[in-house]
Amino acid sequence: MSGGRSGEAARADGVVSGRHTPQRAAVLRVIADSARFLSAQELHAQLGADGVSIGLTTVYRSVQVLARDGLLDVVRDAAGGRRYRHRPAAGHRHYVLCRRCGHSQPVDADVVEEWADGVAERTGFSAVEHTLELTGLCATCATAS
């Protein structure tokens, strides 16, 4: 999962950069109302069910901008697709994600952040980003196996 851009504060309507659009605000609302990670296709379906007229391409563009601006966390599912969840605070989080049902739980990954900062310092790289994917079976799915 990549970190968002630092030093920028999101407005209440979810816009940090770019153009504020009703579609982008609707995408952010659906994600913020969900307790789980959602795919762009699931977002598109939920928006349609809510009566929001929006194309799938616009949903993809919206989640890319919102993730880049630090408002969404992004993980990959078992098939490699991206799933999105509202980022409740500044900075980014890491999650362990159930491969079967999609349940997620944030994990303390301070050691990862420190390691990435150290790599940047030792190599002279700047604006270093990283991806960490933790998957497994949640207790419910492991019991059902």
Side-chain angles (χ1 to χ4, degrees):
M1 193 169 46
S2 296
R5 296 190 302 192
S6 62
E8 293 181 333
R11 292 185 348 208
D13 59 7
V15 176
V16 175
S17 66
R19 201 169 56 121
H20 170 69
T21 66
Q23 293 88 352
R24 193 171 295 156
V27 167
L28 186 60
R29 178 189 47 79
V30 169
I31 292 174
D33 288 347
S34 179
R36 62 186 189 91
F37 282 92
L38 299 170
S39 69
Q41 294 86 352
E42 290 170 325
L43 283 165
H44 184 252
Q46 183 61 52
L47 287 159
D50 291 349
V52 177
S53 178
I54 187 171
L56 184 56
T57 301
T58 302
V59 172
Y60 275 107
R61 278 194 303 259
S62 295
V63 292
Q64 287 173 343
V65 169
L66 293 167
R68 181 194 67 215
D69 287 348
L71 297 171
L72 304 180
D73 283 324
V74 184
V75 297
R76 293 213 181 249
D77 61 21
R82 292 177 183 251
R83 301 183 70 81
Y84 306 91
R85 182 173 175 174
H86 183 252
R87 182 177 295 161
H92 70 276
R93 291 182 171 180
H94 295 284
Y95 297 85
V96 61
L97 186 67
C98 181
R99 287 188 297 267
R100 184 167 295 150
C101 73
H103 172 72
S104 64
Q105 185 169 337
V107 295
D108 178 17
D110 289 344
V111 67
V112 174
E113 303 305 324
E114 293 167 8
W115 172 78
D117 290 344
V119 167
E121 187 176 313
R122 287 187 301 278
T123 61
F125 277 68
S126 62
V128 170
E129 296 181 1
H130 63 274
T131 301
L132 175 66
E133 308 266 336
L134 299 170
T135 64
L137 295 178
C138 69
T140 302
C141 290
T143 302
S145 295

